[in-house]
Short mmCIF file of all heavy atoms in Angstrom, two decimals:
data_model
loop_
_atom_site.label_atom_id
_atom_site.label_comp_id
_atom_site.label_asym_id
_atom_site.label_seq_id
_atom_site.Cartn_x
_atom_site.Cartn_y
_atom_site.Cartn_z
N LEU V 101 -129.42 -100.99 -4.15
CA LEU V 101 -129.35 -100.03 -3.04
C LEU V 101 -128.09 -99.18 -3.12
O LEU V 101 -128.08 -98.01 -2.76
CB LEU V 101 -129.41 -100.76 -1.69
CG LEU V 101 -130.75 -101.37 -1.29
CD1 LEU V 101 -130.62 -102.09 0.04
CD2 LEU V 101 -131.84 -100.30 -1.21
N GLY V 102 -127.01 -99.79 -3.61
CA GLY V 102 -125.75 -99.07 -3.72
C GLY V 102 -125.66 -98.19 -4.96
O GLY V 102 -124.66 -97.48 -5.15
N GLY V 103 -126.68 -98.26 -5.83
CA GLY V 103 -126.69 -97.42 -7.02
C GLY V 103 -125.89 -97.96 -8.19
O GLY V 103 -125.77 -97.30 -9.23
N GLU V 104 -125.33 -99.16 -8.05
CA GLU V 104 -124.53 -99.74 -9.14
C GLU V 104 -125.40 -100.38 -10.21
O GLU V 104 -125.00 -100.52 -11.37
CB GLU V 104 -123.57 -100.80 -8.57
CG GLU V 104 -122.60 -100.25 -7.55
CD GLU V 104 -122.28 -101.25 -6.45
OE1 GLU V 104 -123.16 -102.05 -6.09
OE2 GLU V 104 -121.13 -101.21 -5.96
N MET V 105 -126.61 -100.79 -9.80
CA MET V 105 -127.54 -101.43 -10.72
C MET V 105 -128.92 -100.83 -10.55
O MET V 105 -129.21 -100.16 -9.55
CB MET V 105 -127.60 -102.96 -10.45
CG MET V 105 -126.33 -103.71 -10.78
SD MET V 105 -126.46 -105.50 -10.40
CE MET V 105 -127.73 -106.02 -11.57
N SER V 106 -129.77 -101.11 -11.52
CA SER V 106 -131.18 -100.75 -11.44
C SER V 106 -131.98 -102.05 -11.40
O SER V 106 -131.46 -103.13 -11.69
CB SER V 106 -131.57 -99.93 -12.67
OG SER V 106 -132.97 -99.68 -12.69
N LEU V 107 -133.23 -101.97 -11.03
CA LEU V 107 -134.07 -103.17 -11.10
C LEU V 107 -134.28 -103.59 -12.55
O LEU V 107 -134.35 -104.78 -12.86
CB LEU V 107 -135.42 -102.91 -10.43
CG LEU V 107 -135.41 -102.77 -8.91
CD1 LEU V 107 -136.80 -102.42 -8.41
CD2 LEU V 107 -134.92 -104.05 -8.24
N VAL V 108 -134.38 -102.61 -13.44
CA VAL V 108 -134.60 -102.89 -14.86
C VAL V 108 -133.44 -102.33 -15.68
O VAL V 108 -133.06 -101.17 -15.52
CB VAL V 108 -135.92 -102.28 -15.36
CG1 VAL V 108 -136.10 -102.52 -16.86
CG2 VAL V 108 -137.11 -102.86 -14.58
N GLY V 109 -132.90 -103.15 -16.55
CA GLY V 109 -131.81 -102.72 -17.42
C GLY V 109 -131.10 -103.92 -17.99
O GLY V 109 -131.35 -105.06 -17.59
N PRO V 110 -130.20 -103.71 -18.95
CA PRO V 110 -129.44 -104.84 -19.53
C PRO V 110 -128.63 -105.55 -18.47
O PRO V 110 -128.09 -104.91 -17.57
CB PRO V 110 -128.52 -104.14 -20.55
CG PRO V 110 -129.16 -102.82 -20.82
CD PRO V 110 -129.83 -102.42 -19.54
N ARG V 111 -128.54 -106.86 -18.56
CA ARG V 111 -127.77 -107.61 -17.57
C ARG V 111 -126.30 -107.22 -17.61
O ARG V 111 -125.72 -107.06 -18.69
CB ARG V 111 -127.89 -109.12 -17.87
CG ARG V 111 -129.28 -109.68 -17.63
CD ARG V 111 -129.65 -109.66 -16.17
NE ARG V 111 -128.76 -110.49 -15.37
CZ ARG V 111 -128.49 -110.29 -14.10
NH1 ARG V 111 -129.03 -109.28 -13.46
NH2 ARG V 111 -127.68 -111.10 -13.46
N PRO V 112 -125.66 -107.01 -16.45
CA PRO V 112 -124.23 -106.67 -16.43
C PRO V 112 -123.39 -107.86 -16.89
O PRO V 112 -123.74 -109.02 -16.64
CB PRO V 112 -123.99 -106.35 -14.95
CG PRO V 112 -125.04 -107.12 -14.21
CD PRO V 112 -126.24 -107.14 -15.11
N GLN V 113 -122.30 -107.56 -17.56
CA GLN V 113 -121.46 -108.61 -18.15
C GLN V 113 -120.04 -108.55 -17.60
O GLN V 113 -119.57 -107.49 -17.16
CB GLN V 113 -121.42 -108.47 -19.67
CG GLN V 113 -122.77 -108.53 -20.35
CD GLN V 113 -123.43 -109.89 -20.21
OE1 GLN V 113 -122.75 -110.92 -20.20
NE2 GLN V 113 -124.76 -109.91 -20.10
N VAL V 114 -119.34 -109.68 -17.66
CA VAL V 114 -117.93 -109.71 -17.29
C VAL V 114 -117.13 -109.00 -18.38
O VAL V 114 -117.59 -108.86 -19.53
CB VAL V 114 -117.43 -111.16 -17.10
CG1 VAL V 114 -118.13 -111.83 -15.93
CG2 VAL V 114 -117.64 -111.98 -18.37
#
Side-chain angles (χ1 to χ4, degrees):
L101 288 178
E104 300 146 327
M105 292 179 65
S106 174
L107 289 176
V108 177
R111 292 293 298 152
Q113 302 295 325
V114 295

